[in-house]
Amino acid sequence: MCAKKVVFSGIQPTGNIHLGNYLGAVKNWVDMQDAYDNIFCVVNSHAITIKQDPKELMQKTIDLACMLIACGIDPMKSSLFIQSEIDYHPALAWILDCNIFMGDMTRMTQFKDKSKKNPKNINVGLFNYPALMAADILLYQVDLVPVGSDQKQHIELTRNVAMKFNRDFGECFKIPEPLIIKEGARVMGLDDPLIKMSKSATGKNHAIFLLDEPDVILTKIKKATTDSNSSIVFDENRPGIYNLLCIYEVLSGKDRTSIEDEFSTKGYGVFKNALADIVIDRLKPIQERYRQLKSDEKYIKEILQNGANAVLPRARDTYNKAKDLIGLL
Ligand code: AQP
């Protein structure tokens, strides 16, 4: 029997997890758990590229792990751990840093976007984020990295540095492939469908958070930006209604033609109510499970410790190999 492919992905504890994180990443992690050998990571070291309150960051890290389990990450099928528990991540990032050209790093669009959002804290870590992300992935000899489409450029950089290292020093890293499921790959802000839904955006109606109460979800969807044209069809040139229809498509599992047949003549009000119903229904069991798990932090910490113990040997082996190949004692 051939071994299962290894999947790795991470998520930052930078704020409340939203529908974009869920549909673009976490839902896919959960759906594919049986098919792969899964490693998932709360990437708290990435989170400090943006200023964080230390106590809050610790709590948000545990809460996010709790939410991932509530969403369906099963510790019996997946290793879930906290990035800062394994020191090989920053150690390998340094080796990779010395093998990534400035020109390649300066092309990363996320750095440009995040610098604009945080003009008073454009730190070296923010610039260097993709090297740490490459280390996260390469340490585990990964086949696939399921992410939203915003991370495609970083995975490309990861592949390039891995290939360069293997060429220059000898075979060390498996070359990972991005796994971007088209549906849900880029959920846009409800208040502004031209920008990606994001944890750190401040608009009151920007994102649906997984812990939002039903009435809040309904209000946010009702207030979502659409346009003056009332027909309900999948048209990328009408980004507001297109975004809402894409969310409905992933959550309902229906195809585009049947969704258009169902709503095309019904107007935005009816469609928005149906979308709110489906979002609320999907989030309800996740919220219930989250509340149960939250009352047992010891259990969450145990899962995280077991996850770290399970993945540590892989990280150690890869790091030692890279260190040896590059001539570090
Ligand atoms: N809007 C989105 N649509 C689809 N997928 C998304 N992802 C993020 N936003 C969307 C995917 O979620 C996973 C975890 O993301 P992250 O926490 O590592 O960081 P991010 O991409 O920077 O997410 P945010 O929400 O925008 O956080 P902040 O505001 O802190 O920067 C990734 O797979 C990502 O693709």
Side-chain angles (χ1 to χ4, degrees):
M1 205 179 76
C2 77
K4 285 181 175 177
K5 288 190 172 178
V6 181
V7 155
F8 174 93
S9 202
I11 181 163
Q12 300 185 76
T14 37
N16 294 326
I17 174 169
H18 54 69
L19 207 57
N21 299 129
Y22 179 69
L23 298 180
V26 179
K27 176 183 173 294
N28 300 326
W29 304 353
V30 172
D31 291 349
M32 59 181 64
Q33 266 181 127
D34 287 323
Y36 298 111
D37 176 3
N38 313 284
I39 306 175
F40 300 119
C41 184
V42 178
V43 287
N44 56 343
S45 304
H46 284 284
I48 59 168
T49 55
I50 307 290
K51 212 165 179 60
Q52 305 286 341
D53 175 86
K55 272 212 182 97
E56 267 179 34
L57 177 61
M58 281 184 198
Q59 191 57 53
K60 281 197 281 191
T61 304
I62 302 296
D63 289 351
L64 181 54
C66 182
M67 179 51 91
L68 294 177
I69 300 165
C71 286
I73 297 298
D74 179 348
M76 303 303 286
K77 297 178 183 168
S78 301
S79 298
L80 176 65
F81 72 102
I82 296 175
Q83 184 185 28
S84 62
E85 293 285 338
I86 296 193
D87 292 338
Y88 297 113
H89 289 244
L92 181 63
W94 175 249
I95 293 180
L96 299 179
D97 261 338
C98 299
N99 288 280
I100 298 173
F101 293 118
M102 282 296 287
D104 291 332
M105 201 66 122
T106 43
R107 270 200 290 279
M108 297 297 108
T109 53
Q110 181 175 288
F111 172 69
K112 292 175 195 162
D113 293 346
K114 292 205 171 178
S115 306
K116 264 189 224 145
K117 277 194 201 166
N118 302 283
K120 295 208 172 111
N121 187 23
I122 304 176
N123 58 69
V124 177
L126 189 65
F127 178 72
N128 209 26
Y129 184 114
L132 182 57
M133 179 166 163
D136 299 338
I137 296 165
L138 297 177
L139 274 176
Y140 300 101
Q141 307 292 349
V142 164
D143 294 285
L144 296 167
V145 189
V147 283
S149 60
D150 59 320
Q151 296 299 329
K152 196 170 170 217
Q153 199 185 30
H154 289 167
I155 313 272
E156 206 49 51
L157 185 98
T158 303
R159 288 168 53 82
N160 289 340
V161 66
M163 286 190 272
K164 178 177 170 353
F165 188 98
N166 288 352
R167 218 172 32 238
D168 292 352
F169 299 101
E171 203 58 25
C172 184
F173 303 117
K174 187 171 245 182
I175 309 302
E177 297 279 347
L179 182 62
I180 300 172
I181 312 270
K182 200 170 144 263
E183 291 78 18
R186 192 167 174 81
V187 177
M188 309 308 280
L190 297 190
D191 57 347
D192 180 354
L194 297 178
I195 60 166
K196 147 187 122 108
M197 188 177 282
S198 178
K199 294 188 214 84
S200 53
T202 49
K204 200 165 164 245
N205 289 313
H206 172 78
I208 294 175
F209 298 110
L210 300 201
L211 289 175
D212 277 347
E213 294 292 339
D215 57 326
V216 175
I217 294 172
L218 180 62
T219 307
K220 284 181 177 174
I221 290 177
K222 278 192 165 163
K223 286 190 175 162
T225 303
T226 45
D227 52 39
S228 52
N229 184 339
S230 62
S231 68
I232 296 181
V233 286
F234 284 85
D235 177 356
E236 288 186 45
N237 297 317
R238 294 169 54 203
I241 189 67
Y242 182 73
N243 185 38
L244 299 182
L245 280 164
C246 289
I247 296 172
Y248 188 86
E249 181 188 19
V250 194
L251 289 177
S252 67
K254 294 177 185 169
D255 64 53
R256 292 189 170 192
T257 314
S258 59
I259 296 170
E260 288 179 348
D261 287 349
E262 191 176 344
F263 293 108
S264 62
T265 56
K266 292 201 176 133
Y268 288 154
V270 173
F271 171 67
K272 283 181 165 182
N273 280 331
L275 176 62
D277 283 347
I278 208 164
V279 173
I280 291 164
D281 274 3
R282 174 60 70 100
L283 296 187
K284 193 169 171 237
I286 294 176
Q287 296 178 348
E288 282 169 5
R289 178 117 177 87
Y290 177 83
R291 280 183 210 110
Q292 283 165 3
L293 289 163
K294 255 298 263 177
S295 61
D296 193 357
E297 248 179 43
K298 197 163 153 259
Y299 171 66
I300 304 294
K301 287 182 176 162
E302 225 172 82
I303 289 172
L304 292 168
Q305 190 55 57
N306 291 341
N309 293 344
V311 300
L312 180 69
R314 298 195 207 199
R316 187 195 298 126
D317 286 355
T318 304
Y319 178 71
N320 284 339
K321 194 167 183 190
K323 194 177 156 198
D324 198 37
L325 282 168
I326 208 161
L328 296 175
L329 285 174

